[in-house]
């Protein structure tokens, strides 16, 4: 696999991670680099630290497969820096068609993950429906307000990165539930160094801890874990359903009101409750575009992704 190919996969992962409900881990999985990614993350261990302390930089670089991680991180950073402004603007001015696009992405991603559970049985179906139930409960619950300064930013980074490496759960989805999605997009847009450094510190800690747990689960309970993650992805469709009714408003740190709890409704009810045109035709078209994009990625790299992580 060339460095350009890894970079482009990073671009896909970064683009997915900006979207509330779409997982960069899903993109890593369906493009065939998931196992390699987990292996590189787990290589940041005691042996790596010893090499760094001994100033064996070349050995440390090779130990963690540094060339792979560098190309991937550059691709992820490219997407985050270039797309965060665009998505922030569209979320503000055209939220309904954008959520419809997200819905198509997630629906297609969940169907991709279903194919990677080789044989369904009662236990795996229980895992699937447990994932759906947990995600749906979280999606319909009131938003948690973590706007408590830098400790909240650290905790948000810790949880979000855990979700980002899972095929089936989105880090941005977690940020939405924690009430930190908007502040994080704003921090990226305005390059708030202190905010971003604390967020990255939390993410690094979460990454080192959770990658080992995830590897253990996939090694011992692969099919059940994948079924559970697929359920999470199906359940998260409630989060990105384009037509929602706000049940609870709260004051934001800027003094304006922001939704703290929402429930999905049909387009007609959306028009009644919000007075906003549901744009059904455009939304369906955007769903198809999102679905087709994931289908194209899976068709292009799905054969490589057939190997289990």
């Amino acid at each position: 696999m060339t460095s350009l190919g890894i970079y482009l996969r990073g671009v896909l992962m970064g683009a997915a991670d900006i979207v509330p409900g779409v997982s960069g881990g899903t993109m890593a999985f369906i493009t065939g680099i998931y196992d390699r990614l987990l292996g590189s993350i787990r290589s940041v261990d005691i042996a790596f630290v010893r090499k760094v302390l001994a100033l064996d930089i070349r050995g440390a670089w090779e130990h963690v497969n540094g060339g792979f991680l560098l190309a991937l991180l550059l691709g992820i950073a490219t997407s985050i820096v270039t797309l965060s402004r665009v998505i922030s603007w569209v979320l503000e001015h055209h939220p309904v068609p954008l959520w419809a696009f997200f819905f198509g992405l997630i629906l297609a991603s969940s169907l991709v993950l279903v194919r990677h559970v080789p044989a369904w049985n009662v236990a795996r179906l229980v895992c699937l429906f447990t994932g759906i139930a947990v995600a749906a409960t979280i999606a319909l619950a009131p938003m948690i307000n973590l706007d408590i300064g830098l400790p909240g930013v650290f905790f948000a980074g810790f949880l979000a990165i855990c979700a980002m490496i899972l095929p089936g759960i989105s880090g941005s989805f977690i940020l939405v539930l924690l009430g930190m999605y908007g502040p994080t997009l704003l921090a990226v847009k305005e390059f708030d160094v202190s905010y971003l450094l604390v967020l990255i510190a939390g993410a690094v800690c979460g990454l080192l801890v959770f990658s080992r747990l995830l590897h253990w689960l996939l090694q011992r309970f692969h099919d059940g874990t994948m079924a559970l993650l697929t359920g999470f992805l199906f359940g998260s469709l409630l989060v990105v359903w384009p037509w929602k009714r706000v049940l609870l408003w709260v004051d934001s740190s800027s003094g304006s009101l922001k939704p703290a709890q929402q429930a999905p409704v049909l387009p007609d009810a959306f028009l009644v409750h919000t007075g906003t045109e549901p744009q059904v035709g455009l939304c369906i078209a955007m769903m198809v575009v999102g679905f087709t994009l994931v289908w194209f990625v899976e068709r292009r790299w799905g054969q490589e992704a057939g190997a289990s992580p």
Side-chain angles (χ1 to χ4, degrees):
M1 189 180 299
T2 66
S3 296
L4 178 59
I6 296 168
Y7 172 81
L8 292 176
R9 286 163 169 80
V11 170
L12 289 174
M13 288 182 62
D17 280 328
I18 297 174
V19 176
V22 183
S23 168
T26 301
M27 289 300 172
F29 191 81
I30 67 176
T31 58
I33 61 170
Y34 193 67
D35 188 37
R36 192 173 176 183
L37 175 61
L38 277 186
S40 294
I41 294 171
R42 287 188 296 107
S43 296
V44 182
D45 52 16
I46 297 298
F48 170 76
V49 174
R50 286 174 180 166
K51 290 179 184 294
V52 171
L53 292 178
L55 299 181
D56 182 9
I57 304 303
R58 181 184 180 87
W61 181 261
E62 293 176 350
H63 184 74
V64 298
N65 198 358
F68 167 80
L69 287 179
L70 178 61
L72 195 68
L73 289 173
L74 285 175
I76 292 172
T78 298
S79 277
I80 291 175
V81 171
T82 58
L83 293 180
S84 59
R85 291 176 179 269
V86 175
I87 291 180
S88 180
W89 184 87
V90 178
L91 273 175
E92 181 179 354
H93 295 91
H94 305 284
V96 177
L98 183 62
W99 286 116
F101 175 71
F102 294 166
F103 186 90
L105 287 175
I106 299 169
L107 178 59
S109 298
S110 57
L111 295 177
V112 168
L113 288 190
V114 165
R115 295 174 49 196
H116 289 281
V117 179
W120 288 94
N121 55 27
V122 173
R124 289 164 195 163
L125 285 173
V126 169
C127 290
L128 174 72
F129 286 108
T130 299
I132 292 174
V134 170
T137 300
I138 295 173
L140 297 176
M143 182 186 297
I144 301 171
N145 184 12
L146 262 192
D147 193 6
I148 55 174
L150 294 181
V153 175
F154 180 90
F155 186 62
F158 187 97
L159 291 181
I161 199 65
C162 295
M164 284 180 183
I165 63 173
L166 288 172
I169 306 177
S170 161
S172 296
F173 171 42
I174 297 300
L175 290 177
V176 168
L177 295 180
L178 297 176
M180 300 294 285
Y181 182 68
T184 299
L185 269 186
L186 184 63
V188 173
K189 180 180 178 181
E190 298 183 350
F191 199 64
D192 185 336
V193 176
S194 60
Y195 184 106
L196 293 176
L197 286 178
V198 173
L199 188 75
I200 290 170
V204 170
C205 292
L207 195 61
L208 295 179
V209 171
F210 195 70
S211 62
R212 286 161 172 77
L213 174 61
L214 180 59
H215 175 75
W216 183 85
L217 288 172
L218 288 172
Q219 286 293 313
R220 288 161 177 77
F221 311 103
H222 175 268
D223 294 343
T225 302
M226 289 305 301
L228 180 68
L229 298 178
T230 303
F232 279 131
L233 196 57
F234 274 117
S236 72
L237 288 171
L238 289 174
V239 178
V240 293
W241 179 251
W243 304 287
K244 294 184 282 283
R245 174 190 179 189
V246 178
L247 302 178
L248 178 65
W249 295 89
V250 296
D251 292 323
S252 68
S253 57
S254 63
S256 60
L257 290 176
K258 66 178 182 179
Q261 185 178 15
Q262 301 182 86
V265 296
L266 294 175
D268 289 345
F270 176 80
L271 177 61
V272 170
H273 290 295
T274 67
T276 303
E277 174 60 44
Q279 301 173 278
V280 176
L282 177 59
C283 286
I284 292 175
M286 295 305 294
M287 288 179 186
V288 172
V289 170
F291 191 98
T292 303
L293 180 60
V294 173
W295 174 84
F296 172 78
V297 171
E298 206 278 334
R299 289 278 294 180
R300 173 63 180 83
W301 288 299
Q303 188 67 30
E304 300 174 44
S308 298

